[in-house]
Amino acid sequence: MSKPISFALIGRSGCGKGTQAELLRKHFGNLFSVSTGNLLRDLSKTDSSVGKEIKKILANGELIPDFMIIGLWMRELCVNLKDDQGILFDGAFRRLIEAEQADQFLDFLGRKDAFFPILIDISREEAFDRLTKRRICKDCGKLIPFVGEFKKLEKCDNCGGELVGRQDDKTEAINNRLDFFDNEVKEVVDYYKNSNRLIVINGEQPIEKVFDDILKAVQ
Ligand SMILES: [Zn+2]
């Protein structure tokens, strides 16, 4: 029997990874999501020795060491992944070594052939626009992305509340995130590209079309 399929979604901030991850979870039903962001936040709330260090690093906005990131998602999968579940690496991978270790891990489980690294491709300019121009509802907190039909919304489509620019969308922080992609994550993209496994999806299309293209590519 073939192994359940697994995914890693890669792309610049603002490319819609979160939305597509949600759609994948709904479509496939039995995907095991592993989010290093969530694992780190959980860990930082514990009073273990490591938890305290992680809390400090997160508070200072510094980078978590690679071994810690890898150790966390690996442990999560070691302990909780079931045979019939595919894996969704949510927010992965940020560094080349992470992608390499994931390959070894997937190979160990006999799942490497059923693993799809997917690049949701948007230009740096598009990413910048989406990140600086997206809005949030003052009343219910719904995030309104700066894409397609949402650009024209005048009121929240959930509750009718007023839409305002996001406070945390500061230009410098955004440029740092986009630089990180161009410098570090680019190596991950090239790694999959060079082994002819990278699936490139045009992320500058409507959400449904992006998802459609993903499904077609993995079937
Ligand atoms: Zn609202």
Side-chain angles (χ1 to χ4, degrees), residues 136-142 144 155-163:
I136 189 166
C137 171
K138 247 178 151 177
D139 296 332
C140 74
K142 183 176 178 188
I144 310 294
K155 298 275 175 204
C156 174
D157 60 345
N158 182 40
C159 75
E162 188 187 338
L163 301 177

Side-chain angles (χ1 to χ4, degrees), residues 34 36 39-40 64-78 89 92-105:
V34 55
T36 41
L39 292 170
L40 284 167
I64 307 285
D66 295 332
F67 71 85
M68 185 64 65
I69 302 270
I70 294 164
L72 276 175
W73 60 246
M74 205 173 276
R75 181 182 187 280
E76 176 74 2
L77 290 169
C78 286
F89 290 97
F93 297 108
R94 294 157 51 94
R95 291 259 174 75
L96 178 58
I97 187 171
E98 224 187 317
E100 289 170 343
Q101 297 282 296
D103 265 351
Q104 288 189 32
F105 185 81

Side-chain angles (χ1 to χ4, degrees), residues 7-215:
F7 308 90
L9 296 177
I10 307 164
R12 291 191 166 88
S13 301
C15 75
K17 287 190 292 276
T19 306
Q20 296 300 326
E22 202 50 54
L23 292 171
L24 282 172
R25 276 191 285 268
K26 252 185 230 163
H27 184 85
F28 287 95
N30 201 16
L31 275 185
F32 187 91
S33 282
V34 55
S35 156
T36 41
N38 289 345
L39 292 170
L40 284 167
R41 273 186 291 278
D42 288 349
L43 183 57
S44 72
K45 288 175 195 154
T46 68
D47 69 348
S48 76
S49 187
V50 173
K52 286 176 185 163
E53 284 302 317
I54 296 293
K55 190 176 180 181
K56 261 190 258 170
I57 297 176
L58 289 178
N60 295 332
E62 289 160 10
L63 282 179
I64 307 285
D66 295 332
F67 71 85
M68 185 64 65
I69 302 270
I70 294 164
L72 276 175
W73 60 246
M74 205 173 276
R75 181 182 187 280
E76 176 74 2
L77 290 169
C78 286
V79 175
N80 293 317
L81 178 71
K82 305 283 190 296
D83 261 354
D84 60 348
Q85 291 179 301
I87 305 166
L88 175 61
F89 290 97
D90 200 346
F93 297 108
R94 294 157 51 94
R95 291 259 174 75
L96 178 58
I97 187 171
E98 224 187 317
E100 289 170 343
Q101 297 282 296
D103 265 351
Q104 288 189 32
F105 185 81
L106 290 162
D107 201 27
F108 172 80
L109 289 176
R111 289 171 175 254
K112 197 174 158 189
D113 291 339
F115 169 66
F116 297 96
I118 298 170
L119 172 67
I120 303 177
D121 197 25
I122 64 173
S123 69
R124 181 160 175 146
E125 293 68 33
E126 173 78 13
F128 187 84
D129 270 1
R130 289 186 184 184
L131 294 168
T132 51
K133 294 177 183 167
R134 64 183 173 184
R135 298 169 294 168
I136 189 166
C137 171
K138 247 178 151 177
D139 296 332
C140 74
K142 183 176 178 188
L143 208 57
I144 310 294
F146 188 75
V147 290
E149 291 299 302
F150 293 107
K151 291 182 188 177
K152 297 179 215 144
L153 277 186
E154 289 178 5
K155 298 275 175 204
C156 174
D157 60 345
N158 182 40
C159 75
E162 188 187 338
L163 301 177
V164 294
R166 284 188 63 181
Q167 292 300 318
D168 60 348
D169 290 345
K170 296 280 187 292
T171 308
E172 195 195 341
I174 287 170
N175 274 320
N176 285 343
R177 273 150 74 187
L178 295 175
D179 284 347
F180 186 83
F181 184 90
D182 288 340
N183 298 330
E184 302 284 344
V185 186
K186 179 75 170 35
E187 287 187 26
V188 175
V189 173
D190 288 345
Y191 171 74
Y192 290 126
K193 198 183 281 173
N194 293 338
S195 53
N196 293 319
R197 292 183 292 158
L198 185 69
I199 293 170
V200 182
I201 303 290
N202 175 5
E204 297 185 17
Q205 315 180 84
I207 290 168
E208 308 76 48
K209 183 72 174 63
V210 171
F211 187 61
D212 231 43
D213 284 359
I214 292 177
L215 287 186

